[in-house]
Amino acid sequence: MAYLVYDITNQSTFENLDFWLETVKKATDDNIVIYLVGNKADLIDSSNRNRRVTKEQAIYYSKLRHFQGFGECSALKNINIKETFTSFYKILYKKNKVLKIIAVVTL
């Protein structure tokens, strides 16, 4: 299992995901379950003026790379943490496999 985490207020962290994806693939097997997580959701206001990576971009990237899911959260303010990670663990439970746990953070 791997989390690929990027900062939704920093486009370059999103652009670096391919590097981290290749790093994960080299360290694991083809059965790795990958979940994309956009972090720092607390920095986004109702106008989205601080957002540099849209949800649509992230969802498209996630589907294109055949990731198991996508979520946005704020580790600092504990926004959507439980929902994001519960969703991921439900996917793992459904797969019913023993997986190596790897956390990859691009921040």
Side-chain angles (χ1 to χ4, degrees):
M1 155 176 102
Y3 299 110
L4 288 181
V5 181
Y6 67 95
D7 176 349
I8 64 177
T9 67
N10 184 335
Q11 180 70 31
S12 67
T13 63
F14 186 75
E15 293 168 358
N16 289 332
L17 287 173
D18 282 337
F19 168 80
W20 293 109
L21 177 58
E22 287 306 312
T23 301
V24 167
K25 286 183 175 181
K26 287 178 185 176
T28 62
D29 60 34
D30 292 336
N31 294 322
I32 187 78
V33 174
I34 301 173
Y35 198 87
L36 184 62
V37 179
N39 194 27
K40 298 194 179 182
D42 59 296
L43 299 178
I44 305 303
D45 59 18
S46 60
S47 69
N48 276 337
R49 101 179 123 217
N50 293 334
R51 183 183 283 275
R52 298 295 177 259
V53 181
T54 67
K55 284 184 182 180
E56 293 78 16
Q57 283 176 290
I59 290 167
Y60 176 77
Y61 181 87
S62 180
K63 288 180 179 180
L64 188 66
R65 303 299 189 282
H66 306 288
F67 293 169
Q68 297 300 308
F70 162 75
E72 286 188 343
C73 61
S74 168
L76 180 65
K77 301 279 183 160
N78 195 24
I79 299 170
N80 207 28
I81 294 287
K82 183 177 179 181
E83 296 81 1
T84 298
F85 292 94
T86 298
S87 170
F88 188 64
Y89 286 112
K90 285 180 181 178
I91 291 166
L92 287 178
Y93 182 77
K94 287 179 184 177
K95 291 214 172 255
N96 197 23
K97 293 181 181 178
V98 176
L99 299 170
K100 185 189 297 187
I101 298 177
I102 298 175
V104 177
V105 179
T106 63
L107 305 178

